[in-house]
Amino acid sequence: MGAKEPGGRPLSSEGEWADLKGKVILVVDDEPLNLKMMQALLSREGCQVLSARSGREALTLAEQRPDLILLDIMMPELNGLDTCRLLKEKEDLRDIPIVFLSALHDTETKTEGLRLGGVDFIAKPFQREELLARVRNHLTLKEQKERLKAYTQKLEHMVEQRTRQLVHADRLSTLGTLVAVVAHEINNPLQAVMSHTDLLFLDLESVKEKAERIADGTLKKDLSEFCQSIEGALQEIQKGCRRLQKNIRQLKQFGKRGDEKPVVMSIKQPIEDALAIMQARLKSGVTLDLNLPDRLQVMGNPLQLSQVFINLIQNALDAMDGRQGRLDISAAAEGGLIRVDFKDSGPGIPPDLWGKVFHPFFTTKGEKEGTGLGLFISRLIVENHRGSLELIPRAEAGAWFRITLPQVSAETALTGPLRS
């Protein structure tokens, strides 16, 4: 049961009946005196009243979508019941509440009216207080129904959105496992290649020693050039293998859950890890300017901080959208804190969105490209490291994000573990 005021007056969700001021009421009655009385009564309450003296005229005026219709039943040509039926057949009008006015009190007429879609009956001759009370009551119910419908649609959208995000998270979890398996499968043959390369280097040294003992000058020269060529090729193979090893280590780290204990590290380390992972995208015409001193140390989880830096780099590249651009990443110490700035030359973030970029599920990329969780999670990670992540307003084009973390020196360290 809904709440009521003393005396039985029903309350809306705000605690009051719907305000009649500004409401549009269509009054339909073939008696001019009844029309005049209802128009005067409702107008005094601030309503805008539309008047119709027939069912046909009511159908025309109903196209203005009034908030409620007071409809007489006994009318010539097209009676109130038939008018109601025709109104309910129109999809854009069927939600308008219809209250019948009638001197007929038989059960059959009332039942038929309710079956056709009417919401109430007011007996003629009507009392002023009763008519106003019923009008207010049905307008309140209409408003509550509209709010409930909007809220239901919002909930359905939220459920759909969260479902997509859970599917996305599940895919990421599966991807982490897949990455670890693939990295392992690549690592085994890679180790074999590196081992055989080392053996070839040893064999090559043996060949070079024997070449030195050859008396024929021409053959000795040709063999020496051949050995140099083979040595160069083996060195390139070694370099490629080391690069693959580094990539595999990064893939394995990506596949981990990131629950390692905090360690003291140079802030440069997780930034370089993030840049290595984003290396392919950084080749798309973006100029990278780095200013990262070696001795700026922080305490934290390198994988989590790498995730933050990956998000910021990816957002900057998305903003530049494959065009020629610039990404500046710099770090500096100031007052016991380490400040890391990410500045890009993209279009920037409009001022009206500055306060929303860290909200969960807020994205300007569209639901197919972004989850709206990147900056939200990044800020949580940074705050978990007793730091801050903020958007710095700037007059020129481009976005500027700043991460601030406590600095750790050789003499001091953070007290207490990171929050879980």
Side-chain angles (χ1 to χ4, degrees), residues 71-317:
L71 179 60
D72 185 28
I73 290 182
M74 298 296 293
M75 293 186 295
E77 297 185 12
L78 189 65
N79 64 39
L81 296 177
D82 290 334
T83 303
C84 177
R85 177 178 53 78
L86 293 173
L87 286 170
K88 295 301 179 180
E89 288 177 355
K90 297 186 178 183
E91 186 174 354
D92 58 331
L93 302 179
R94 63 180 52 159
D95 291 334
I96 302 174
I98 297 175
V99 178
F100 287 111
L101 304 168
S102 179
L104 300 175
H105 304 299
D106 60 286
T107 302
E108 184 179 350
T109 300
K110 291 182 178 180
T111 302
E112 180 64 10
L114 294 172
R115 187 188 67 80
L116 291 171
V119 296
D120 203 353
F121 275 84
I122 298 178
K124 288 185 177 181
F126 55 81
Q127 298 294 319
R128 170 185 176 279
E129 292 79 7
E130 180 187 4
L131 186 139
L132 289 177
R134 291 182 185 272
V135 167
R136 284 195 180 97
N137 196 49
H138 288 294
L139 287 175
T140 300
L141 292 173
K142 180 174 181 285
E143 288 181 357
Q144 291 175 337
K145 183 178 178 181
E146 290 172 349
R147 281 196 295 268
L148 181 60
K149 181 179 179 181
Y151 185 65
T152 301
Q153 291 174 342
K154 183 178 180 180
L155 283 177
E156 289 174 350
H157 176 72
M158 289 173 65
V159 169
E160 181 182 353
Q161 190 179 46
R162 299 303 187 273
T163 301
R164 284 197 300 269
Q165 288 157 357
L166 287 173
V167 170
H168 179 71
D170 182 64
R171 287 174 179 170
L172 286 180
S173 176
T174 303
L175 178 61
T177 303
L178 178 62
V179 161
V181 172
V182 171
H184 177 74
E185 292 299 319
I186 295 176
N187 195 49
N188 286 339
L190 180 61
Q191 290 297 331
V193 172
M194 294 189 70
S195 298
H196 283 84
T197 303
D198 292 338
L199 291 174
L200 286 173
F201 266 114
L202 293 174
D203 291 341
L204 184 62
E205 288 299 320
S206 177
V207 171
K208 288 166 68 175
E209 289 176 3
K210 292 178 181 178
E212 290 296 324
R213 297 195 293 267
I214 295 177
D216 188 330
T218 302
L219 179 60
K220 181 178 181 178
K221 180 182 177 183
D222 290 344
L223 191 56
S224 177
E225 290 177 352
F226 174 74
C227 287
Q228 288 177 358
S229 175
I230 293 298
E231 186 175 20
L234 290 175
Q235 287 173 347
E236 289 299 316
I237 291 174
Q238 267 192 338
K239 285 171 61 178
C241 288
R242 290 193 186 102
R243 190 163 55 248
L244 276 173
Q245 276 187 322
K246 184 177 179 180
N247 290 338
I248 288 171
R249 283 197 301 271
Q250 291 167 343
L251 287 173
K252 285 182 175 179
Q253 287 179 341
F254 177 79
K256 291 179 181 178
R257 291 183 178 271
D259 53 358
E260 291 83 357
K261 292 181 179 180
V263 296
V264 176
M265 73 193 121
S266 168
I267 193 64
K268 189 175 181 179
Q269 175 195 335
I271 295 177
E272 289 183 338
D273 290 343
L275 289 170
I277 290 173
M278 300 299 294
Q279 185 177 9
R281 287 201 63 189
L282 286 167
K283 293 180 179 178
S284 60
V286 175
T287 301
L288 186 63
D289 185 12
L290 300 178
N291 182 13
L292 304 171
D294 290 319
R295 300 190 174 218
L296 300 180
Q297 290 188 319
V298 297
M299 178 179 281
N301 185 313
L303 295 179
Q304 291 182 359
L305 290 178
S306 292
Q307 180 183 349
V308 173
F309 298 139
I310 288 171
N311 283 333
L312 293 176
I313 293 169
Q314 183 167 293
N315 285 347
L317 296 177

